Amino acid sequence: MKTGSVLGWLTWRAYATCMTLATPLWHAVLRRRLARGKESPASLAQKTMRHPAPRPSQPVVWGHAVGVGEARALAGLFTHLAAALPGVHFLLTTQSIGAQAALGPNDLPHASTVQAAPLDTPATVQAFLRHWQPALALWCELDLWPNLVMGTAMRGVPMWLVNARLYPQSLHKRRWARALYGHMLGQFAAVYAQNVSTREGLLALGAPPARTHLGGNLKALAPPPGADPHRLGAWQQALGGRPLWLMVSAHEGEFALAAKAHAALLALHPQALLLLMPRFPSQATSAQRALQLCGVAATLSQSVPPHAVAQQQALIIDAWGEVGLWGRLTRVAAVGGSWVNLGGHNPYEPLALGCHLLHGPHVHNFAEDYAALLPTQHSQCVNTAAELAHAVAATWTAPSTAPTWVAAAGPAQAMLQALQQAAINATRRPASRPV
């Protein structure tokens, strides 16, 4: 374990003591989340380490992600690392059952396990680390749990923080615990920030300057999301030459926009089909109502086989982890979260599938990425339903060209090369010993 400030160490010890005393309360919170559908029996058992997934005999590279986007980014990173790490098993932990469900069977290397992250109590963390014995630990973005970070460091496991992103408001909230954050950040062998402002914020929180670098957006490295070839073939045959467009990660407030745009497209292209993928599958029925209010015949993808979709004008994707399937069926994708003020979502998945990208004006979560994509002419901002319909129709008639967006992945590519070497070194050394 690397040294840190005395105040940081004392703050962590106080936190650890409080978490130990609050363990019964946390178990009650988890049971309440289970009753409300926010946990599953499997995730509850994994978070408490009562029934973890079996540990493989191979060295384990472990990555932790908080949500859907981070989990997909780590899955893509694991896919890249797997080529250089034969005989290594990859463990991905997340905080949400939605993030686990969003990873399809084709999104991860074959030797992989996905499970819930442990509850951040000292006893549960130690049980997790004794069970998995990771050779290398990766944190994606800034979901840093003090006992998990410090417990990993005390076992001598090399740790990397990748894809870190700090917004001004989140930096302001973290300043009150600067000593604790500085102590945790000091344990990492390398810290990679997405942009300059995040690096400066991490330094203000106490990150070591010599080990804090610019790494770009990890999501730019992700390979195309996978798809089952049999399902893909069935849908390709069923849809024939119909003009298609996809709206991915759509939110409430954007369903009506998609419905109006598609109604305008149907007036000129009666065979057009909208593939609408809500950010959360639980919103599928709400999306269906919005389409039907605009006179668009829509059904849920899980309720209709490919051969029965001929009479439908829109298909609502009500399952996790299927962007790889539906993105391969079209040349154009609109990315949601950008017509409502949520800051936009990951542009790289549809781009990796060869789609022309459309988005709204609210993309501050990915401002640097969209700015880098602008010169490639594979990304376009549209503001209204009419503009969206016009852009979709223009893409249908435009010549198909290969995406050139990979140039935006430069800093992330450099980070990947350094990480590959670190992972090779870590997985060749003897397993860490319990403390």
Side-chain angles (χ1 to χ4, degrees):
M1 185 179 74
K2 298 177 174 63
T3 58
S5 71
V6 173
L7 179 58
W9 185 87
L10 290 173
T11 306
W12 165 55
R13 293 307 306 160
Y15 169 87
T17 300
C18 291
M19 289 298 290
T20 298
L21 295 174
T23 298
L25 175 62
W26 282 112
H27 285 193
V29 169
L30 288 176
R31 289 193 295 271
R32 180 173 175 79
R33 285 175 57 84
L34 175 64
R36 298 171 61 188
K38 294 187 175 182
E39 300 288 351
S40 67
S43 71
L44 184 63
Q46 292 163 1
K47 286 188 174 184
T48 57
M49 287 301 294
R50 290 173 180 168
H51 298 290
R55 190 202 184 279
S57 59
Q58 306 103 307
V60 172
V61 170
W62 162 42
H64 174 69
V66 60
V68 173
E70 297 78 24
R72 286 176 172 166
L74 266 184
L77 180 60
F78 283 174
T79 299
H80 283 287
L81 291 176
L85 298 170
V88 168
H89 192 92
F90 294 90
L91 169 67
L92 196 157
T93 60
T94 75
Q95 293 293 351
S96 73
I97 57 175
Q100 295 178 58
L103 296 173
N106 301 298
D107 292 332
L108 286 156
H110 177 69
S112 300
T113 300
V114 180
Q115 76 157 56
L119 191 64
D120 200 43
T121 62
T124 308
V125 164
Q126 290 306 315
F128 173 85
L129 294 170
R130 281 195 303 269
H131 178 75
W132 286 105
Q133 300 176 41
L136 177 69
L138 310 176
W139 264 259
C140 189
E141 301 213 4
L142 274 171
D143 192 43
L144 303 181
W145 292 88
N147 287 325
L148 195 55
V149 171
M150 297 306 301
T152 306
M154 291 176 69
R155 293 178 69 92
V157 179
M159 299 189 298
W160 282 46
L161 176 59
V162 298
N163 219 45
R165 181 70 180 261
L166 267 176
Y167 299 102
Q169 62 270 29
S170 57
L171 174 61
H172 179 74
K173 291 177 182 177
R174 285 176 167 87
R175 283 187 184 276
W176 69 270
R178 184 187 181 283
L180 178 59
Y181 273 98
H183 192 62
M184 289 193 292
L185 291 168
Q187 308 305 315
F188 285 87
V191 175
Y192 280 89
Q194 288 190 32
N195 52 39
V196 172
S197 62
T198 293
R199 183 178 185 273
E200 293 173 348
L202 291 170
L203 295 177
L205 289 175
R211 302 198 299 271
T212 304
H213 317 281
L214 288 175
N217 193 334
L218 180 61
K219 295 170 184 176
L221 288 176
D228 179 83
H230 300 293
R231 289 189 66 202
L232 178 61
W235 280 104
Q236 286 173 329
Q237 183 176 6
L239 295 174
R242 292 182 69 176
L244 311 175
W245 68 290
L246 170 69
M247 178 176 277
V248 64
S249 293
H251 289 263
E252 294 277 1
E254 295 176 317
F255 302 150
L257 176 87
K260 292 175 183 177
H262 196 57
L265 286 166
L266 288 169
L268 299 175
H269 303 273
Q271 293 301 309
L273 180 68
L274 164 63
L275 306 170
L276 180 57
M277 184 177 292
R279 180 67 173 177
F280 304 102
S282 59
Q283 297 176 338
T285 54
S286 177
Q288 186 179 28
R289 285 194 298 270
L291 287 161
Q292 291 171 343
L293 285 173
C294 286
V296 176
T299 190
L300 306 183
S301 64
Q302 299 297 299
S303 64
V304 60
H307 63 80
V309 78
Q311 302 304 315
Q312 299 299 323
Q313 297 168 323
L315 202 59
I316 314 299
I317 315 305
D318 57 337
W320 287 106
E322 294 197 345
V323 66
L325 170 63
W326 306 106
R328 281 177 168 83
L329 297 170
T330 180
R331 291 175 50 197
V332 56
V335 180
S338 60
W339 285 277
V340 290
N341 195 16
L342 294 175
H345 290 298
N346 178 11
Y348 293 108
E349 285 186 336
L351 284 168
L353 293 166
C355 293
H356 180 75
L357 194 71
L358 304 175
H359 62 86
H362 304 293
V363 293
H364 51 267
N365 289 345
F366 293 89
E368 297 89 352
D369 305 274
Y370 280 105
L373 290 169
L374 189 60
T376 70
Q377 298 183 346
H378 286 278
S379 173
Q380 180 181 353
C381 179
V382 295
N383 293 288
T384 66
E387 291 178 6
L388 179 57
H390 178 77
V392 169
T395 303
W396 287 338
T397 58
S400 179
T401 56
T404 57
W405 60 272
V406 290
Q413 192 67 47
M415 181 212 66
L416 173 63
Q417 293 174 356
L419 178 56
Q420 282 178 332
Q421 188 58 55
I424 291 170
N425 296 339
T427 54
R428 287 177 178 172
R429 72 188 184 113
S432 58
R433 296 181 179 272
V435 295

